[in-house]
Amino acid sequence: MEGQINSKEQCGICVRLLAKIFDRFDEIAQKYIVTLKYVQVYNQRVDDLLSGQKGVIVQSLADGSCNHVKEVRITSVAGFIEVYENASRLRTTAANQVHAQSSRSH
């Protein structure tokens, strides 16, 4: 899903989608707020990758979002990449039979 995150040609779906979203906002000259929450479910535990907090107790809300995790405002694709790369360093990864490094959280 992430591909080569800093490469316009090799980036994954998240970066491509955000680029389209921000381009569309510019086209219609409309202001919107884009926010990001980034969690990992690993070994029955939820970790908030934006705050670094492990073992978060998350509650789903009626609008499909969740509380008790950090939320940051994203204003550009570059801003997303910076936040995503920093948070991704906190992901738990391990080798499996196919990949040398896998999040194993899917």
Side-chain angles (χ1 to χ4, degrees), residues 40-51:
Q40 171 180 259
V41 179
Y42 186 81
N43 284 340
Q44 311 300 321
R45 184 185 73 204
V46 177
D47 298 337
D48 181 347
L49 298 178
L50 293 179
S51 72

Side-chain angles (χ1 to χ4, degrees), residues 8-25:
K8 191 169 187 173
E9 296 79 26
Q10 300 286 322
C11 64
I13 192 167
C14 293
V15 173
R16 291 173 193 266
L17 179 61
L18 276 171
K20 293 277 187 192
I21 289 170
F22 285 117
D23 286 347
R24 182 69 178 138
F25 291 167

Side-chain angles (χ1 to χ4, degrees), residues 91-103:
R91 287 176 57 208
T92 301
T93 60
N96 63 28
Q97 294 176 352
V98 178
H99 304 286
Q101 186 176 17
S102 172
S103 68

Side-chain angles (χ1 to χ4, degrees), residues 3-78:
Q4 299 294 325
I5 198 164
N6 286 308
S7 166
K8 191 169 187 173
E9 296 79 26
Q10 300 286 322
C11 64
I13 192 167
C14 293
V15 173
R16 291 173 193 266
L17 179 61
L18 276 171
K20 293 277 187 192
I21 289 170
F22 285 117
D23 286 347
R24 182 69 178 138
F25 291 167
D26 289 342
E27 287 173 12
I28 62 175
Q30 193 74 15
K31 296 290 182 190
Y32 290 92
I33 296 173
V34 178
T35 60
L36 173 69
K37 294 179 182 182
Y38 191 15
V39 298
Q40 171 180 259
V41 179
Y42 186 81
N43 284 340
Q44 311 300 321
R45 184 185 73 204
V46 177
D47 298 337
D48 181 347
L49 298 178
L50 293 179
S51 72
Q53 186 176 357
K54 296 184 181 290
V56 178
I57 299 184
V58 177
Q59 295 175 331
S60 296
L61 303 176
D63 65 1
S65 65
C66 56
N67 60 4
H68 304 296
V69 294
K70 184 175 181 176
E71 181 175 45
V72 296
R73 185 176 288 189
I74 304 296
T75 58
S76 67
V77 174

